């Protein structure tokens, strides 16, 4: 259950890193427009990896609910003061 909570609390970090990486790629496109297609493919990969993290978070939420009866869906990690104490 601790691992499920860790996954759940890392979701915001994954979202932040995705945004940071995509912004860096967009800057590279400005400097290397001839590589736009390759950079676009990288962006798609990053988005798909973030989606995998979303699925892991959904599974973690279900596990927390099944074992603790706590509803964590649609809450950001900053809203989990009760979950962190449990």
């Amino acid at each position: 259950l601790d691992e499920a909570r860790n996954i759940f609390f890392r979701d915001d970090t994954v979202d932040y890193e995705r945004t940071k990486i995509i912004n860096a790629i967009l800057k590279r496109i400005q400097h290397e427009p001839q590589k736009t297609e390759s950079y676009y493919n990288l962006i798609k990969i990053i988005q798909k990896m973030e989606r995998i993290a979303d699925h892991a978070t959904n599974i973690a939420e279900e596990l927390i609910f099944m074992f603790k009866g706590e509803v964590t869906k649609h809450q950001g990690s900053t809203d989990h003061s009760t979950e962190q104490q449990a």
Side-chain angles (χ1 to χ4, degrees):
L1 195 54
D2 288 339
E3 288 301 318
R5 289 187 191 285
N6 287 336
I7 290 169
F8 181 74
F9 288 117
R10 291 181 190 171
D11 187 57
D12 288 342
T13 302
V14 171
D15 293 343
Y16 172 78
E17 291 297 326
R18 179 208 61 223
T19 300
K20 192 169 82 172
I21 292 167
I22 289 175
N23 286 337
I25 292 170
L26 292 174
K27 287 180 184 177
R28 296 303 313 160
I29 289 172
Q30 291 176 344
H31 298 302
E32 299 176 294
Q34 71 278 11
K35 295 183 180 180
T36 298
E37 184 176 352
S38 294
Y39 286 131
Y40 174 73
N41 289 330
L42 282 174
I43 289 172
K44 290 193 312 188
I45 291 168
I46 295 298
Q47 290 173 325
K48 290 178 189 298
M49 291 175 70
E50 190 271 335
R51 190 66 191 122
I52 291 168
D54 286 343
H55 287 303
T57 300
N58 291 340
I59 292 168
E61 289 171 340
E62 291 294 327
L63 288 171
I64 292 167
F65 179 75
M66 282 178 18
F67 289 101
K68 288 289 196 175
E70 297 171 11
V71 177
T72 56
K73 289 201 176 285
H74 308 296
Q75 296 179 4
S77 63
T78 55
D79 297 329
H80 297 329
S81 57
T82 56
E83 279 85 282
Q84 289 175 340
Q85 294 170 359

